[in-house]
């Protein structure tokens, strides 16, 4: 039996699942991480680190709610500081998760089955981090519900012509649908955990979450329809979210924001940073939890290629911005380019070009795509580069707009940094818990990748 | 229903007869043969979606897509109508001299509401049509059934099937060479 378990793949490529696995072995390997693996000292120490980062966020937000946004470095002319930079950065990171789970499902890219679960979790946590920033930036976050259209005694309604209102709908829909998609994918695996758990309370908790899932053929049939329709709905959704985020800028008249290239350029940048985050997480997770059989070199290499491809689209975006700065003949647009290259933030613009365009070109070399250490460093470089991109877009454009009497500089305060690093803590704390509480790889989809799962048409019974 | 049915299986209340198989292919073949033999009320259980299994047990009426379509249309319509009512009727504001009913600005929220309602109907529609959440189901009374979420495949002929006969159906299921045949107390 073991002999025919080999997945047929082209010769030079690593398989999407290591040979020799059976339904039981994949189930064991993934559920044991949740159910039987003891909690290690390293896990606890790591958790303490990320949890204290999360507490730093709580302190920063608590003080913010007490004092107001004046504790941040924002002021006129730069009213959109770290809050918006980090919002766009985090929400972009989320995009890779939905791309992997939805778009690749529609394209029948079965290799996605081993990374979609934790990529979707990454999406949820990243969107949660992203959502923190506009809420905190509001000044009076306890009145956040004023953004939604609801009948109120003030007789007031939102202005639906404003991209900021579109953003509310785009981001809240994105979070909700990502959660629905993630939960739908988890239902059958909750069933597996329920049936394998030993402790009665653990059985009860997973049993409640599994909602009585019993793997009926009728249920699977409806389930698959629902899943593929969710993928179909999420595909335009993920493309729309960063498009709408880019409208926040593109509909304004500030030089460097008011361009039609923003939507595709933002979406490509989002996927670029998202895949960087996938690699940043997948490389340590597969090593620590012994999942190299399921997250193989093939996954890492494909992710690196997606990074390279979307990075080139982003590079095209930069090129077009520079070209339009010259070709438009608009003095403010051409000044913006000069200001980026030679102005007070020139160092960071050059750093951005090196991180996002220069260094990632080394991914053309196979050694960089298959060496986990190098790839991990490179994904980190891309994450830094994409953060700098959002910083340049938000801050440099606002710092020097039309009137030089209204120019200014932006200096983030310690509270800005604490909030930013704190959301990294929120993200990592959630990931830390996710790894031990939920199956981080979709078990039933992994079973489908095994050759034994494939069936042929039943033979007609002879009359 | 009562615990007594465990003591006297097959006499008073039996949910059906369960056969266990080792592979997806065996289950598809067995389900197909059972359906061909005239059994109408049967179900098959597997640890992952098996291609062709739903067809083999004669399941065709999948209305999830219709539910999602209706949900999506309702979401889109309500999104657009809300914006029209707010911007043109109840709270008209002059923004840069644009018409009150400035439809291009309303596309995005309409789209988001379509996706939101469509997605929620996909999850809740699927659960409702599947009858989930279901706190109790007779198939779990068979201890071997635990393996359905791991590596085993099951076929159940319900006792409500007109052709069901405890002895004859058991003989038929045994002819499909399963690992075991068990009675499912209800």
């Amino acid at each position: 039996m073991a002999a025919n378990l080999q997945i047929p793949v082209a010769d030079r490529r690593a398989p999407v699942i290591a040979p020799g696995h059976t339904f039981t072995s994949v189930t064991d390997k993934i559920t044991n991480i949740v159910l039987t693996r003891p909690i290690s000292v390293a896990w606890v120490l790591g958790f303490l680190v990320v949890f204290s980062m999360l507490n730093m966020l709580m302190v920063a937000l608590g003080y913010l709610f007490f004092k107001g946004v004046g504790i941040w470095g924002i002021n006129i002319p730069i009213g959109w500081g770290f809050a918006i930079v980090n919002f766009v950065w985090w929400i972009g990171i989320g995009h890779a998760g939905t791309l992997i789970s939805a778009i690749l499902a529609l394209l029948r890219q079965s290799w996605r089955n081993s990374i979609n679960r934790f990529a979707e979790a990454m999406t949820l946590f990243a969107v949660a981090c992203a959502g923190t920033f506009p809420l905190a930036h509001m000044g009076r976050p306890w009145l956040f519900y004023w953004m939604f259209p609801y009948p109120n005694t003030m007789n007031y309604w939102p202005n639906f012509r404003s991209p900021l209102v579109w953003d509310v709908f785009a981001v809240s829909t994105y979070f909700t649908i990502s959660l629905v998609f993630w939960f739908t994918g988890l239902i059958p695996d909750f069933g597996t955990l329920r049936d394998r758990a030993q402790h009665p309370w653990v059985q009860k908790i997973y049993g409640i979450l599994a909602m009585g899932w019993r793997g009926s053929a009728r249920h699977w049939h409806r389930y698959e329809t629902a899943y593929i329709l969710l993928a179909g709905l999420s595909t335009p959704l993920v493309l729309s979210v960063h498009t709408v985020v880019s409208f926040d800028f593109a509909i304004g008249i500030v030089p460097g924001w008011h361009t039609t290239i923003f939507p595709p350029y933002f979406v490509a940048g989002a996927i670029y940073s998202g895949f960087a985050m996938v690699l940043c997480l997948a490389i340590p997770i597969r090593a620590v939890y012994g999942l190299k059989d399921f997250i193989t070199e093939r996954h890492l290499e494909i992710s690196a290629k997606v990074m390279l491809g979307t990075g080139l689209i982003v590079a095209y975006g930069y090129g077009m911005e520079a070209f339009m700065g010259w070709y438009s003949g608009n003095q403010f647009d051409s000044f913006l380019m000069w200001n980026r290259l030679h102005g007070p933030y020139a160092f960071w613009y050059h750093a951005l070009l090196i991180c996002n365009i220069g260094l990632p070109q080394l991914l053309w070399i196979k050694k960089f795509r298959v060496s986990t250490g190098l790839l991990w460093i490179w994904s980190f470089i891309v994450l830094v580069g994409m953060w700098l991109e959002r910083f340049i877009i938000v801050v440099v454009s606002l710092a020097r707009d039309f009137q030089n009497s209204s120019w200014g500089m932006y200096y983030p305060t310690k509270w800005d940094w604490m909030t930013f690093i704190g959301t990294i803590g929120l993200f990592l704390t959630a990931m830390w818990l996710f790894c031990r509480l939920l199956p981080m790889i979709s078990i039933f989809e992994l079973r489908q990748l095994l050759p034994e799962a494939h069936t042929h048409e039943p033979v007609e019974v002879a009359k | 229903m009562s615990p007594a049915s465990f003591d006297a299986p097959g006499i008073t209340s039996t949910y059906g007869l369960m056969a266990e198989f080792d592979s997806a292919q065996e289950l598809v073949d067995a389900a197909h043969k059972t359906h061909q033999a005239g059994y109408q009320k049967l179900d098959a259980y597997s640890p992952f979606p098996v291609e062709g299994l739903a067809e083999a047990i004669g399941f065709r009426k999948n209305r999830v897509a219709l539910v999602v379509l209706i949900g999506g249309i309702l979401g889109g319509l309500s999104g657009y109508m809300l914006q029209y009512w707010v911007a043109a009727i109840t709270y008209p504001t002059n923004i840069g001299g644009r018409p009150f009913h400035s439809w291009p600005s309303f596309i995005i929220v309409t789209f988001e509401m379509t996706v939101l309602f469509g997605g929620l109907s996909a999850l809740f529609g699927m659960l409702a049509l599947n009858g989930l959440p279901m706190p109790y189901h007779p198939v779990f009374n068979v201890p071997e059934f635990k393996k359905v979420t791991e590596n085993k495949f099951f076929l159940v002929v319900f006792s409500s099937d007109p052709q069901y006969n405890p002895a004859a159906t058991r003989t038929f299921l045994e002819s499909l060479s399963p690992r075991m045949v068990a009675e499912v107390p209800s």
Side-chain angles (χ1 to χ4, degrees), chain B residues 6 18 24 37 41 54 59-60 68 83 94 124 144 149 152-153 164 173 175 184:
Chain B
F6 286 96
M18 176 186 279
K41 299 200 168 170
F59 174 69
R60 297 216 157 52
V68 176
Q83 294 178 85
N94 185 335
F124 292 109
E144 286 86 350
T149 54
K152 290 290 184 268
F153 301 81
Y164 180 84
L173 285 176
S175 76
V184 185

Side-chain angles (χ1 to χ4, degrees), chain A residues 24 161 195-196 216-217 225 447, chain B residues 43-44 62 102 149-151:
Chain A
T24 308
R161 298 180 194 86
D195 292 343
R196 294 175 73 86
S216 152
T225 312
R447 289 186 198 117
Chain B
D43 205 350
N62 180 348
S102 39
T149 54
E150 186 190 327
N151 63 347

Side-chain angles (χ1 to χ4, degrees), chain A residues 38 218 251 328 353 369 389 402:
Chain A
R218 290 179 172 82
I251 288 184
S328 66
L353 294 178
R369 298 195 305 265
E389 181 199 299
F402 307 100

Side-chain angles (χ1 to χ4, degrees), chain A residues 139-397:
Chain A
R140 290 185 290 170
W142 51 92
L143 298 177
F144 74 96
Y145 58 89
W146 285 13
M147 296 187 300
F148 292 98
Y150 72 102
N152 54 68
T153 51
M154 298 174 286
N155 239 341
Y156 166 87
W157 291 90
N159 168 26
F160 285 109
R161 298 180 194 86
S162 160
L164 296 178
V165 173
W166 304 342
D167 224 17
V168 172
F169 279 83
V171 174
S172 52
T173 301
Y174 186 46
F175 184 79
T176 314
I177 295 299
S178 301
L179 185 66
V180 163
F181 204 12
W182 192 57
F183 182 74
T184 305
L186 276 163
I187 295 169
D189 285 355
F190 283 140
T192 301
L193 288 171
R194 167 199 66 200
D195 292 343
R196 294 175 73 86
Q198 299 299 320
H199 194 280
W201 275 105
V202 179
Q203 283 175 344
K204 281 194 181 71
I205 291 166
Y206 289 120
I208 289 167
L209 290 167
M211 295 185 293
W213 182 262
R214 58 183 188 273
S216 152
R218 290 179 172 82
H219 290 189
W220 277 123
H221 200 267
R222 295 194 187 101
Y223 179 90
E224 284 203 293
T225 312
Y227 197 80
I228 204 77
L229 287 173
L230 274 173
L233 287 165
S234 303
T235 297
L237 179 67
V238 66
L239 299 179
S240 84
V241 176
H242 234 55
T243 301
V244 174
V245 169
S246 81
F247 285 163
D248 293 343
F249 297 93
I251 288 184
I253 55 164
V254 176
W257 291 5
H258 194 58
T259 85
T260 48
I261 202 170
F262 259 31
Y265 156 52
F266 264 55
V267 172
I271 294 165
Y272 189 32
S273 60
F275 267 87
M277 188 59 101
V278 167
L279 285 172
C280 225
L281 297 173
I283 290 171
I285 284 177
R286 75 197 271 272
V288 170
Y289 291 104
L291 296 172
K292 288 182 181 173
D293 286 358
F294 306 143
I295 304 175
T296 64
E297 275 182 5
R298 174 113 168 262
H299 294 101
L300 302 184
E301 198 184 347
I302 294 173
S303 305
K305 284 179 182 168
V306 174
M307 237 162 66
L308 183 59
T310 47
L312 290 173
I313 302 176
V314 169
Y316 173 80
Y318 296 157
M320 262 304 132
E321 279 185 327
F323 174 74
M324 291 311 291
W326 165 74
Y327 185 72
S328 66
N330 180 312
Q331 56 172 324
F332 298 109
D333 279 351
S334 48
F335 172 73
L336 176 87
M337 276 323 294
W338 181 90
N339 190 35
R340 280 186 180 172
L341 285 164
H342 308 289
Y345 296 101
F347 175 80
W348 299 109
Y349 189 62
H350 292 126
L352 149 74
L353 294 178
I354 291 167
C355 289
N356 274 358
I357 304 181
L359 291 174
Q361 299 314 314
L362 289 172
L363 292 172
W364 288 100
I365 303 162
K366 194 177 167 87
K367 185 169 174 286
F368 278 79
R369 298 195 305 265
V370 295
S371 148
T372 49
L374 283 172
L375 199 52
W376 194 79
I377 294 168
W378 251 247
S379 61
F380 201 76
I381 290 172
V382 169
L383 283 173
V384 172
M386 284 308 294
W387 187 87
L388 287 173
E389 181 199 299
R390 276 63 183 256
F391 181 83
I392 297 290
I393 289 173
V394 171
V395 172
V396 178
S397 291

Side-chain angles (χ1 to χ4, degrees), chain B residues 28-112:
Chain B
V28 174
D29 292 342
H32 189 70
K33 279 180 196 155
T34 315
H35 194 250
Q36 289 264 301
Y39 289 100
Q40 297 297 321
K41 299 200 168 170
L42 70 165
D43 205 350
Y45 304 86
S46 57
F48 53 85
V50 173
E51 181 112 31
L53 188 57
E55 288 77 13
I57 60 163
F59 174 69
R60 297 216 157 52
K61 246 168 77 183
N62 180 348
R63 287 174 301 181
V64 172
L66 183 67
V67 171
V68 176
L69 178 70
I70 293 171
I73 290 173
L74 282 180
L77 279 179
S78 58
Y80 194 91
M81 276 158 36
L82 171 77
Q83 294 178 85
Y84 176 76
W85 181 72
V86 165
I89 297 172
T90 196
Y91 195 68
T93 14
N94 185 335
I95 308 283
R98 293 185 190 87
F100 293 135
H101 180 206
S102 39
W103 66 268
S105 302
F106 300 164
I107 298 295
I108 288 170
V109 173
T110 307
F111 166 78
E112 302 293 343

